[in-house]
């Protein structure tokens, strides 16, 4: 099932075609989540092409900020070669939690009871007859 799955599915990692496309490309590094980064060839502007092969689900929010900077040509050296300084005010990155039990649910959402605070005097409901 592993080979067939890698041929036809893209949402749980790289497909077989992607692995074929990596031939001759340089492996540039790996982040703490196990994502692997590659570089090779040139894009239409002459910049080196860079991409990530995700470990697990293909979710762009799982790319750490330092590797994101490298992927988008904000920095030239990989974070392994020249670590990006972490500012004191920065929080650790978190993946996109949409669709999970940890997703943000605002007051009034059905999942948290469906009750929201009443409208104040500065709000007037729209009426189609007005």
């Amino acid at each position: 099932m592993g080979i067939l799955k890698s041929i036809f599915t893209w949402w749980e990692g790289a497909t077989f075609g992607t692995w074929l496309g990596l031939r001759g490309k340089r492996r540039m590094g790996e982040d703490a989540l196990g994502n692997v980064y590659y570089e090779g060839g040139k894009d239409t502007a002459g910049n080196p092409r860079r991409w990530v092969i995700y470990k697990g689900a293909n979710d762009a929010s799982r790319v750490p900020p330092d590797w994101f900077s490298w992927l988008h040509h904000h920095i030239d050296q990989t974070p392994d070669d020249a670590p990006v300084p972490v500012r004191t005010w920065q929080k650790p990155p978190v993946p996109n939690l949409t669709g999970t039990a940890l997703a943000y649910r605002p007051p009034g959402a059905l999942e948290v009871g469906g009750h929201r605070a009443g409208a104040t005097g500065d709000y007037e409901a729209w009426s189609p007859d007005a």
Side-chain angles (χ1 to χ4, degrees):
M1 180 70 176
I3 292 175
L4 283 176
K5 190 174 184 181
S6 72
I7 292 173
F8 296 110
T9 63
W10 56 265
W11 50 88
E12 290 184 12
T15 62
F16 184 71
T18 302
W19 288 113
L20 286 177
L22 292 176
R23 290 179 300 163
K25 309 303 188 251
R26 285 186 306 156
R27 179 185 166 125
M28 300 302 291
E30 185 174 334
D31 65 21
L33 298 173
N35 300 325
V36 182
Y37 299 87
Y38 291 89
E39 182 177 67
K42 301 279 183 188
D43 65 9
T44 56
N47 296 319
R49 293 202 58 202
R50 298 173 175 172
W51 58 95
V52 59
I53 302 299
Y54 298 100
K55 180 176 182 176
N58 289 340
D59 181 6
S61 70
R62 295 181 64 235
V63 174
D66 48 354
W67 280 103
F68 178 91
S69 297
W70 180 79
L71 280 172
H72 294 273
H73 300 281
H74 297 164
I75 59 176
D76 291 329
Q77 293 182 325
T78 65
D80 292 341
D81 296 336
V84 178
V86 178
R87 309 273 193 314
T88 58
W89 48 264
Q90 286 180 307
K91 292 182 178 181
V94 293
N96 183 355
L97 300 174
T98 302
T100 69
L102 299 174
Y104 172 73
R105 292 184 172 68
L110 294 176
E111 296 86 4
V112 292
H115 301 290
R116 65 178 183 88
T120 60
D122 64 344
Y123 175 77
E124 182 179 329
W126 176 80
S127 173
D129 298 331

